[in-house]
């Protein structure tokens, strides 16, 4: 959170590395641990995508322990917590009630307030996300909004706070985190109806979408050019002229 949010909006973080919180209240952190150690290279065993941080300092007698370096052990996620229902909903097998071909369920909230969902998008499709791990599109409720998706690869959840507006390799030392198929300033999940997207954005700025480039997301219906009565009349006249000329 910014200093303004912390001072006036009550948004100050008590756990610095956290990027979000899961639906069970456990914090979500980035792909590194202890500042700059890759969680994949550290050899730390991650139960359900997370682990317990041991105390790194002394708790003075009579003081109230809290989370942090001098506090008690604190469990947190780094990778996707695949033991939670939003992930099991797609992985336990269709015979057991899995729904892998529906938009993933909510698994948490990012610190910026946007929702985080599990892996799959509408119809079981792969989410086309920006560098931050988010995009515009329908969620499991059918509503259009900007939201994040967990990923099975680094950075697992968020690489930044989105929308990233064209940055694909700016936050993590040149690594490109935009999903193939984005390649624009604004990433929209293919198949999203333009009218629904504009209605969502109109809550803040009706012209916002026109200020940036977008990936090829429009439906065939949106791509079709409306035919007016005048256009139909012109086509009929040209057809008649062609028939009589021949």
């Amino acid at each position: 959170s910014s200093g303004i949010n912390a001072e006036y909006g009550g948004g100050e973080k008590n756990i610095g590395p956290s990027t979000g919180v899961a639906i069970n209240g456990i914090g979500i952190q980035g792909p590194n641990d202890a500042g700059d150690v890759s969680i994949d290279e550290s050899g730390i065993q991650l139960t359900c995508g997370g682990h317990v941080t041991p105390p790194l300092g002394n708790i003075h007698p009579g003081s109230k322990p809290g989370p942090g370096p001098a506090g008690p052990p604190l469990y947190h996620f780094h990778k996707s917590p695949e033991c939670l229902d939003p992930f099991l909903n797609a992985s336990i097998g269709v015979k057991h009630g899995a729904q892998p071909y529906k938009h993933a369920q909510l698994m948490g909230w990012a610190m910026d307030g946007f929702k985080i969902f599990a892996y799959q998008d509408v119809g079981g499709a792969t989410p086309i996300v920006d560098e931050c791990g988010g995009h515009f599109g329908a969620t499991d409720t059918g509503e259009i909004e900007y939201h994040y998706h967990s990923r099975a690869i680094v950075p697992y959840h968020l690489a930044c706070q989105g929308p990233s507006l064209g940055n694909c390799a700016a936050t993590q030392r040149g690594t490109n985190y935009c999903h193939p198929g984005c390649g624009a300033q604004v990433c929209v999940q293919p198949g999203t109806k333009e009218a629904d997207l504009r209605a969502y954005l109109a809550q803040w700025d009706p012209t916002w979408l026109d200020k940036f480039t977008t990936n090829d997301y429009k439906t065939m219906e949106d791509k079709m050019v409306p035919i007016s009565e005048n256009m139909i009349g012109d086509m009929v006249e040209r057809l008649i002229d062609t028939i009589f000329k021949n």
Side-chain angles (χ1 to χ4, degrees):
S1 300
S2 67
I4 295 178
N5 288 338
E7 184 175 354
Y8 299 106
E12 187 173 5
K13 300 177 183 179
N14 57 1
I15 306 174
S18 288
T19 60
V21 60
I23 54 175
N24 60 358
I26 294 176
I28 301 170
Q29 297 189 13
N32 297 334
D33 198 53
D36 197 28
V37 179
S38 168
I39 200 68
D40 293 304
E41 296 177 350
S42 66
I44 298 174
Q45 297 298 311
L46 300 179
T47 303
C48 190
H51 71 119
V52 175
T53 299
L56 301 178
N58 296 321
I59 301 175
H60 299 288
S63 63
K64 183 179 179 181
L74 183 68
Y75 182 85
H76 57 274
F77 296 125
H78 284 285
K79 295 188 177 183
S80 300
E82 294 182 344
C83 62
L84 295 186
D85 286 343
F87 294 92
L88 292 175
N89 179 61
S91 64
I92 60 175
V94 175
K95 289 185 177 180
H96 297 282
Q99 297 178 318
Y101 301 112
K102 290 189 175 181
H103 191 286
Q105 296 176 340
L106 178 73
M107 63 79 55
W109 292 267
M111 284 297 187
D112 57 14
F114 290 123
K115 300 171 185 175
I116 309 173
F117 292 84
Y119 296 140
Q120 73 274 16
D121 208 271
V122 175
T126 300
I128 307 299
V129 297
D130 59 24
E131 179 182 38
C132 298
H135 66 170
F136 291 94
T139 65
D140 58 337
T141 64
E143 296 183 18
I144 305 295
E145 57 184 278
Y146 184 83
H147 59 278
Y148 300 106
H149 279 273
S150 291
R151 292 186 262 189
I153 58 175
V154 173
Y156 301 116
H157 303 286
L158 282 68
C160 50
Q161 292 184 332
S164 64
L165 300 182
N167 293 322
C168 284
T171 63
Q172 298 291 324
R173 300 177 183 176
T175 301
N176 189 329
Y177 284 152
C178 287
H179 189 279
C182 179
Q185 292 175 304
V186 174
C187 295
V188 184
Q189 184 66 15
T192 301
K193 292 185 177 180
E194 183 179 7
D196 294 340
L197 175 59
R198 289 188 178 276
Y200 166 71
L201 294 170
Q203 300 176 83
W204 302 280
D205 182 358
T207 64
W208 187 86
L209 193 63
D210 300 318
K211 300 174 184 177
F212 306 99
T213 60
T214 60
N215 58 307
D216 184 13
Y217 73 92
K218 295 181 180 180
T219 63
M220 291 301 296
E221 181 181 349
D222 286 336
K223 291 179 180 179
M224 292 177 63
V225 178
I227 300 177
S228 66
E229 291 184 5
N230 290 336
M231 292 175 65
I232 294 176
D234 292 340
M235 292 170 63
V236 171
E237 287 182 5
R238 285 197 293 269
L239 179 60
I240 294 173
D241 290 342
T242 302
I243 292 173
F244 281 102
K245 285 180 181 178
N246 295 332

